Amino acid sequence: FIPPKETNEGGAILAKDILGNPIPASQILAEPPGTRALVAGLAGDPTYLTLEKDATINPWGIVDNCTHLGCTFPWNNIDQEFQCPCHGSRYNADGSVLRGPAPLPLKLVHVAVKDNAIWIAPWTEIDPRTGENPWWV
Ligand code: FES
């Protein structure tokens, strides 16, 4: 896997692993459907990618940063929720709040696969979960 240039004109960056190496899409796509794969995204933010049943990567990336006080959190595959260990906030698969104290949905980023590279780009338009401008822009 020879990664392309690490940024593109639209402000997208390549998804990277914990060591800062670009992750080939084939590595993520080898995981079972339903996997949430954690990668380093924009500004190094830990970001969850979701493996779909049709062996694609969901175009919504979920930033692993609780909107309460910023803890990172795991995906609970049994409950099908993100569950923050710090104060108990829970989010559904698209990052909407199911239970506080988190006040806001999780930040979204765009995810696109091209030529075995995973590109992550800022989400600046309407948040489809709320129908409003994103709180993070
Ligand atoms: Fe996640 Fe408080 S930081 S619930």
Side-chain angles (χ1 to χ4, degrees), residues 65-73 83-91 99-102:
N65 188 322
C66 183
T67 61
H68 179 222
L69 292 174
C71 286
T72 57
F73 47 80
Q83 298 180 344
C84 184
C86 291
H87 314 95
S89 291
R90 295 182 175 211
Y91 304 87
R99 188 172 93 189

Side-chain angles (χ1 to χ4, degrees), residues 101-119:
L104 295 164
L106 295 168
K107 183 177 172 181
L108 292 177
V109 293
H110 290 287
V111 178
V113 174
K114 199 172 160 204
D115 300 332
N116 203 25
I118 304 168
W119 291 98

Side-chain angles (χ1 to χ4, degrees), residues 10-12 42 58-63 94 106-112 120-137:
L42 296 171
N58 188 294
W60 295 14
I62 307 274
V63 176
D94 73 13
L106 295 168
K107 183 177 172 181
L108 292 177
V109 293
H110 290 287
V111 178
I120 298 187
W123 191 300
T124 57
E125 60 277 18
I126 295 288
D127 181 339
R129 302 167 301 185
T130 61
E132 295 174 5
N133 286 322
W135 61 261
W136 56 87
V137 172

Side-chain angles (χ1 to χ4, degrees), residues 21-41:
N21 300 312
I23 302 176
S26 54
Q27 181 179 324
I28 303 288
L29 291 168
E31 301 291 329
T35 295
R36 265 64 181 181
L38 204 49
V39 301

